[in-house]
Amino acid sequence: LVTGGTSGLGHAIAEAFLQNGVDFAVCSRHPESAPELAELAAAEGRRYLPVYCDITKEEDVEKMGDIIEKELGPVTMLVNSAGMNILKHAEDYDAESFNKVMSLNVLGTHNVSKMCGKRWMIPAHKGRIVNLSSAKAFLGTDRDYTAYCASKGAINMYTAQLACEWAKFGISVNAIAPTFVVTPINADRLSDPVFYNSLVKRIPYGRLGTGKDMAAAVLFLCSEGSEFITGVTLKVDGGVTSMQ
């Protein structure tokens, strides 16, 4: 199951799962918005299920679980990639906007993790969960990321705590922390050449991340090769957090 799998990094991760022989579901408030995933699934001979869900609502998440179980069976791998930012200066960040970001990025991650864990992974004594953090969990910026940075810092600690609680059930819980990748959430900022060039200069690899970079890290954390890794936030950032 990939939350937010019809756009952004979730879309790239969904493509990678299909190309590596995995049947999966995506959930989104616009599940019809990625017909190319259905086409790729058909070409790869995989089962693909797009489901409507507002992950901030527990009742929506439970209904989604019913649909997935009926159509695909138990979820063994979960990628919590749904997220958002609202660009406002800290002094202008109103409570409604702040809560909206925190609700989707943090509460939504918990709602889906809890559902998958309780319904499928804990009874089966196995499972992989990968959360989407960010380099912004480690690095501040000069404006507009107050709620986003707070939410991703929370994801890091949520990942560690859930890993500690669920290791006894054979469930690994990790996160990846990307640097900037061009997605709808940050396209406006990256369209500013001054910001773009200053950012790339800070990344030792000299480029932004790509969807394929992030998908490869997620595939590893969902693979048998990562069985003894849990509670880790893996920085997939071209070295940017090491340079600061």
Side-chain angles (χ1 to χ4, degrees):
L1 170 61
V2 182
T3 72
T6 58
S7 65
L9 292 183
H11 189 285
I13 292 164
E15 283 188 332
F17 275 130
L18 283 175
Q19 291 164 348
N20 283 272
V22 178
D23 298 330
F24 76 101
V26 298
C27 72
S28 167
R29 282 179 284 194
H30 304 285
E32 74 291 340
S33 62
E36 66 279 3
L37 287 177
E39 294 170 4
L40 179 59
E44 296 286 337
R46 309 313 310 179
R47 292 185 298 164
Y48 164 68
L49 179 67
V51 184
Y52 171 85
C53 186
D54 179 347
I55 63 172
T56 67
K57 298 177 180 178
E58 285 185 286
E59 60 272 23
D60 266 27
V61 173
E62 289 298 328
K63 289 177 183 176
M64 173 179 66
D66 292 339
I67 294 168
I68 292 172
E69 187 160 15
K70 179 181 178 181
E71 298 293 331
L72 291 180
V75 168
T76 58
M77 295 178 284
L78 166 65
V79 182
N80 286 303
S81 66
M84 68 176 300
N85 187 23
I86 296 174
L87 299 173
K88 290 177 184 259
H89 297 332
E91 63 272 22
D92 298 321
Y93 228 112
D94 58 281
E96 182 180 0
S97 297
F98 198 96
N99 287 335
K100 191 173 183 180
V101 173
M102 294 295 288
S103 182
L104 181 62
N105 294 4
V106 183
L107 178 61
T109 292
H110 171 65
N111 284 343
V112 182
S113 298
K114 180 183 73 170
M115 185 274 289
C116 288
K118 193 170 184 177
R119 183 185 286 246
W120 296 305
M121 296 179 179
I122 291 174
H125 252 73
K126 66 177 181 180
R128 296 279 195 273
I129 298 175
V130 182
N131 299 321
L132 262 288
S133 179
S134 170
K136 291 297 179 194
F138 305 95
L139 300 172
T141 187
D142 60 349
R143 64 186 187 275
D144 294 342
Y145 277 79
T146 309
Y148 186 81
C149 289
S151 74
K152 294 305 181 179
I155 286 295
N156 288 0
M157 196 60 237
Y158 179 81
T159 297
Q161 178 60 24
L162 199 60
C164 291
E165 292 196 32
W166 285 1
K168 62 181 176 286
F169 300 122
I171 301 168
S172 73
V173 187
N174 294 292
I176 66 166
T179 187
F180 276 94
V181 178
V182 180
T183 65
I185 200 172
N186 58 33
D188 287 345
R189 295 210 73 187
L190 292 175
S191 65
D192 177 354
V194 174
F195 177 78
Y196 177 90
N197 290 327
S198 68
L199 178 64
V200 169
K201 286 178 182 177
R202 289 161 46 205
I203 299 174
Y205 256 74
R207 65 170 176 85
L208 299 184
T210 67
K212 288 184 178 180
D213 294 328
M214 307 312 149
V218 170
L219 287 173
F220 166 67
L221 291 173
C222 287
S223 73
E224 292 182 1
S226 68
E227 183 177 357
F228 201 54
I229 299 172
T230 196
V232 168
T233 297
L234 177 63
K235 299 173 182 177
V236 192
D237 66 357
V240 66
T241 53
S242 299
M243 279 283 282
Q244 304 306 304

